[in-house]
């Protein structure tokens, strides 16, 4: 299956909108471990989620993960460039992104913050005009 950029952008938009309002409150933040690597299944196992595969293509593999009340999108990429292109387009739709090497988790801020305690990675924030209540005065990178 060939995945086009418009398909990926739509997928990211759906992920950001579908996940709005999902998640549970996590009071404290864990120390950030070394950034995890591996397949989508390996990352999902590390995060203790059952991935519901949505896209399984040569360039991107994407699943919805649910752990308790928390939902997020977990995506892996064939190349660093493909990941960065996807992120650049997806961030136009707002949202919060936990970014590792050739993988991204997308969800509520508190959800990706908590996930960072398991998978490591760097936090990035989507477009300010699409993130009501977000931290719009920051550079978009956290960590």
């Amino acid at each position: 299956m060939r995945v086009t950029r418009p398909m990926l952008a739509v997928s990211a938009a759906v992920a950001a909108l579908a996940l709005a309002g999902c998640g549970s409150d996590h009071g404290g933040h864990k120390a950030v471990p070394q950034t995890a690597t591996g397949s989508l299944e390996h990352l999902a196992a590390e995060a203790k989620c059952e991935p519901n595969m949505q896209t399984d293509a040569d360039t991107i593999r994407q699943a919805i993960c649910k752990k308790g009340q928390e939902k997020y999108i977990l995506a892996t990429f064939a190349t660093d460039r493909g990941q960065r292109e996807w992120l650049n387009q997806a961030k136009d739709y707002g949202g919060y992104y936990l970014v590792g090497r050739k993988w991204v988790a997308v969800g509520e801020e508190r959800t990706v913050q908590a996930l960072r305690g398991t998978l490591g990675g760097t936090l990035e924030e989507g477009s300010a005009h699409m993130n009501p209540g977000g931290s719009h005065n920051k550079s978009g990178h956290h960590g």
Side-chain angles (χ1 to χ4, degrees), residues 12-137:
V14 169
L17 295 175
L19 296 172
C22 298
S24 61
D25 190 22
H26 298 280
H29 298 289
K30 297 179 185 178
V32 179
Q34 183 173 6
T35 302
T37 59
S39 68
L40 187 137
E41 290 80 7
H42 175 78
L43 295 167
E46 290 287 321
K48 295 182 175 83
C49 88
E50 295 280 334
N52 178 0
M53 193 64 68
Q54 303 294 306
T55 304
D56 193 357
D58 292 339
T59 57
I60 183 174
R61 298 185 73 224
Q62 181 173 298
I64 296 174
C65 277
K66 184 175 180 183
K67 184 178 175 188
Q69 295 298 312
E70 301 174 13
K71 287 184 186 178
Y72 56 92
I73 299 295
L74 184 60
T76 57
F77 303 86
T79 65
D80 294 320
R81 180 178 177 184
Q83 175 190 22
R84 183 47 51 194
E85 288 175 355
W86 184 91
L87 268 170
N88 289 343
Q89 290 181 4
K91 287 169 78 175
D92 286 343
Y93 297 95
Y96 296 89
Y97 303 82
L98 181 61
V99 182
R101 181 145 195 279
K102 295 185 184 176
W103 63 264
V104 174
V106 185
E108 285 287 310
E109 182 177 24
R110 64 182 162 255
T111 302
V112 295
Q113 281 277 10
L115 192 57
R116 187 176 186 215
T118 303
L119 297 179
T122 303
L123 293 173
E124 296 186 21
E125 186 175 336
S127 175
H129 72 277
M130 295 299 285
N131 272 354
S135 53
H136 310 308
N137 294 326

